[in-house]
Amino acid sequence: KYMKFDDITKLRPKKFTEECVLISVYFTLNRIKDNWFLNYISAPGGAWQELKILKNNIEERFYVGKNEKRPDLIMQKENMTDLFYMAEAKESFKKILNEREKIDNSIKSIFNRIKRLKGSKVQPIYSYIIGIDTNNLERGILNEVISNELDLIDRVIDKLPPVEGGRVCILTYWQGNKTKFNLVFSKDFPEKLVGMFKKVFL
C-alpha cells in the first residue's frame, strides 16, 4: 500500500534528536529556502570520509581521516563561495557548553583545512544547532521550555571566547506538524549575515 504525499508530510519522529535538527537545518539551507552547497554532513549513513569544496564553480573532493576533528555540518554559500557555515548539533545548549572547547577546536581545525584547500580568503560562520524534543508537551509548557533555553543561550553566547566571524545558535523544535527555528546571534556576528539567516529561518 502506497502512502499519499500529504500523509508523509504529517509524519513526525518518535523522538526529536540531534540528527533530526541537523537534517532540518541542512534541508532548509540547501533545498527549502536557499541554495547552500553541502560540503560535509555527519548524519547516520552520511559520507563522513569526504569533504567537498566548490572552487571556481568546480566541485573538488578531499578525504577526511577517521580521527580528524570535524563538526557535524559544513555548507558553502553557492553565490558567495568564500562563506562557510560550520555547525555542531546537540539536544541542549548545556551539552554544547559541556563540550564547547572540543566543538570549537573541531570547527577551527576544519576551517583551517578549508582555508588551505580553498587557497583564498574564507569567511567562517560558527554555529550551534540545538534541538529541543517538544513532543507531547502542552503549549504552555512548550513555550516555557523554549523560553528557558533561549534565555540561557542569550545570557551565555557573548561570554564564550570570541571566534572569527562570530556565532549563531539555531534553536530547533516541533510545533504542530512544523519545524520551527529561533536564532540567537553573538554581538560580533556580521549584520549582513544576520539578515541573511533571518530571511532563511524566520
Side-chain angles (χ1 to χ4, degrees), residues 32 40 45 79 84 164 194:
I32 300 172
Y40 170 90
N79 60 344
F84 284 83
E164 184 180 350
V194 169

Side-chain angles (χ1 to χ4, degrees), residues 22-36:
L22 187 64
I23 296 300
S24 293
V25 169
Y26 157 63
F27 270 116
T28 301
L29 282 171
N30 178 258
R31 292 280 190 266
I32 300 172
K33 293 285 191 74
D34 214 333
N35 61 343
W36 290 66

